[in-house]
Amino acid sequence: HPIILFYKCQIREHLSYSVPEEMRPGSIVGNIVKDLGLEVGKLFIRKARIDTEESYAYFCDVDLKTGNVIIRERIDREELCGEKVSCMLKFELVLESPLELHRISLLIQDVNDNSPVFPKDTIKLEIRESADKGARYRVNEAHDADIGQNTVKQYSLQKNEHFVLSVRDDADGSKNVELVLDKELDREKEHDLNFVMIAVDGGNPQRSGTANIHVTVLDANDNAPVFEQAFYKGSLPENSALDTVVVSVSATDADEGVNGDVTYEFSRISDRAKKVFSLNSKTGEIKVIGQVDFESNSKYEMRIDAKDGYGLSSDSKVVIEITDVNDNAPVVYMKSLMNPIAENVSPGTEVGIINVQDRDSENNGQVRCSIQQGVPFKLVPSIKNYYSLVTTGQLDRELVSDYNITITATDEGSPPLSSSKTVQLSVADINDNPPVFEEQSYSAYVTENNKPGSTLCSVTARDSDWRQNGTVIYSLLPGEVNGAPVSSYLSVNGDTGVIHAVRSFDYEQFRSFKVHVMARDNGSPPLSSNVTVSVFISDVNDNSPQILYPAPEGNSFMTELVPKAAHGGSLVSKVIAVDADSGQNAWLSYHIVKSTDPGLFTIGLHSGEIRTQRDISESDSMKQNLIVAVKDNGQPSLSATCSMYLLISDNLDISYDEKNSKLTSYLIIALVSVSTLFLTFIIIILGVRFCRRRKPRLLFDGAVAIPSAYLPPNYADVDGTGTLRSAYNYDAYLTTGSRTSDFKFVTSYNDNTLPADQTLRKVHQTLLMRLEHHRIHWR
């Protein structure tokens, strides 16, 4: 092939290139990077590609590494464009992100790759010997598929004695080739003449074609056939049925007999037209014998010869135009698609590019594109037949994780044709949902003295996100319980949410506490939520009753004085006990299990009050020893015992006048004892406060003040189920038979019980006042 220079130009967004046909695959047409001012590295990212609606999309491509437009397959101009003067291929360069469309026109230059070809290899002429010198005999011209300079330019005739060649150009661009009789024929000398006619094109190098001319010398044939029309035009809808008559040509010959019999034949017709149309040699009808497709070829041109029986002929031009029928449904092409889509994309985000093509023309090729209802997407018209698929609302994978979007394209033909394409889009998960607990709060119940590691309860949180975004991990929030870290009491299984006890609980230390459990997902960043877990500890009867009064041996107040004149039913003392447990485990009952005189004293079953059952007689022992058992109501029951020493004495009946000195001594001893106890308890209370312990209370009843040192640790009768709830008045008689309370302590064991230091102070003041009163009275 000759060397042909490429040229190119850029007109806004329209690139034009020119390339000769028959170039080898891989040949470079031009460079879009230079022509459009693009960056080479962005071609791959922006998915640069050549696109077209026609069937020749595979001829060109873009090298994404260099930006060169290259030839993919051999281009045959004659096959694509036939006899068209201009063979232009139109492409579209598509760039995404953002969407750009540049039109590319590729002009296919003709190459002299076809030789002139005569309709027949042998041209037969029958000429009467009577023909005059100068008689002209038309010969069908040669056809060259090339165009322009490469088509047939000249004819030549092999040297002979009788004929010369005459060639002239017709108005429609064709050539009229005639043999001119230069010397009369003599049938007696030569019956047949044979010589060669040569057609040469104007290419470089030139190509030529030949036809043998065979002349049979006959008697005279004076008239050639004449067509009724010099030009025939027909119109035919595409997809017409076989044997449909497109057009009929007709020629007449003035001669008679064989000289006037006219036959028809194609003198010039393309190979493509030969497959579609046939010519009846007798009638001149042109019929359909193949598939007529407007999109493949919309116009056919051909020439028809009419010949008489002895070779005289004339020709006529026939043009058949194909009209479009809406026989092609639109086709939807998905050019680009973002899949999956993150659920947090903002409305209006472009997620895909769609191209719609219809091979029909005019209204038949006008396409409207729509999308189904009920999906958060819409189609936005872009450039030419391109649409952008964009979101119209906020996506939520937890509600809808997949969309099947049906796109329908409908043309404007009559009747309209349509087609649909379904696009499946998945929504990618974003960690936008925190774990949610199934309950607003949780309660766990455990019996004290539980085993470490035992299960208390289970918390459960759900996360509607997917995979790691929905994986829930449980943990305890930092905090303190009773001054210790919460982790020293409880633990939670990070995977299951099961809460275990780390240690054994003691109801007497604390009865309930609250912890906070956090559920965190595994997203990035992670999301979390908290829930409160209340732990309630139930009591177990694990504490025996503790006797506060009488004090254990070795302490004060171990002997009670009982007036000998006491009557039956008199209150002589009281056993005071407490139980650190609660509920029925702290319900106490009192029993005398052993006594010096079993019939003399009785004890209240629930009050612990010791009273005389009868009057004291002279025969009763002066020293009475009682062993009292205190039992709780737990299962099994626990108990404690104490010894009560009672001294029956009539010395308590002396008068004031006779026993002033003795009574004064007793009062002084009592005052000193109480003062000593007061100082002792002040020291104890200061020590307790220093150690941050709860203030003990002074419990006393009757004639005896009960020091707080006798209270069990952490004892507090919060729920009112303890053993002391009523107010008691105890009278100490100073004279025999006297029922007057000259020396009295009044106290109430209830919620208003005074603290130990205040109670002792009050007792001290009362003793001083009583002592001063008796001194004045004795005087």
Side-chain angles (χ1 to χ4, degrees), residues 710-728:
Y710 293 149
L711 290 170
N714 299 322
Y715 173 77
D717 194 8
V718 177
D719 54 4
T721 59
T723 55
L724 299 177
R725 290 176 295 180
S726 304
Y728 299 94

Side-chain angles (χ1 to χ4, degrees), residues 673-684 760:
S673 299
V674 171
S675 298
T676 303
L677 285 174
F678 175 75
L679 293 176
T680 301
F681 276 94
I682 289 298
I683 295 173
I684 293 174
L760 290 173

